[in-house]
Amino acid sequence: MDNLRIQAVFDEASHRIAGRLMKDVDLFEGIKEVCRYYDVESAHFQCFGSLQYATFVQMERGDEEGSVRYSEKIRSTSPVELLSGSGFIGYGEDRELDIHFHGMMIDCDRQINGGHFLNGENPVAVTIEYVIFPINGVGMQRGVDPHWGLPVFQFSKRSGS
């Protein structure tokens, strides 16, 4: 796969995909496009690079002792260097490809921040370089966690594997 927006190369020996997302491509949408192209249904991926801005939430203490919740949406006020990012690719409750991704970044004011990134709100500034590690024998499907009531990936052995 090589176009004006995304580069991706499948390595037959390691069964990994490496490449880059170019300016203006959304981080999640670009990774999902690569996965669709190579028929990847579940995977782990790592990446770093730069974003025009980052949109994420962070864990915070809940109202009751021992409880937690997520913050309101946070959007960086400048471009950021994504120092480290890691995520899983699976299926959402809508049966479409979905990503669960956490990253650490530094902004133009040299402030380090990070958290749980949000879908469709992290456009590339210069480049994002990535490696996707397909997981062929495992199914990942979002389902509601019974304790927290949040949709999280549920892991299962894929039939036929």
Side-chain angles (χ1 to χ4, degrees), residues 40-59:
V40 173
E41 295 183 350
S42 57
H44 174 260
F45 75 101
Q46 296 175 317
C47 64
F48 62 88
S50 61
L51 299 169
Q52 294 172 27
Y53 55 86
T55 309
F56 55 99
V57 294
Q58 295 175 329
M59 186 77 65

Side-chain angles (χ1 to χ4, degrees), residues 60-121:
E60 42 184 45
R61 290 178 187 85
D63 296 329
E64 298 176 22
E65 181 72 29
S67 68
V68 295
R69 65 178 174 233
Y70 283 102
S71 68
E72 294 294 319
K73 180 171 36 174
I74 301 165
R75 180 173 161 175
S76 67
T77 58
S78 76
V80 301
E81 285 287 342
L82 183 60
L83 302 173
S84 177
S86 182
F88 278 108
I89 302 156
Y91 283 95
E93 294 173 300
D94 59 2
R95 293 294 304 148
E96 297 293 325
L97 279 177
D98 195 11
I99 291 178
H100 182 198
F101 180 83
H102 289 221
M104 183 174 65
M105 71 208 114
I106 188 165
D107 67 18
C108 290
D109 297 317
R110 297 184 175 98
Q111 297 298 306
I112 294 176
N113 211 334
H116 171 99
F117 281 50
L118 301 177
N119 185 49
E121 300 185 60

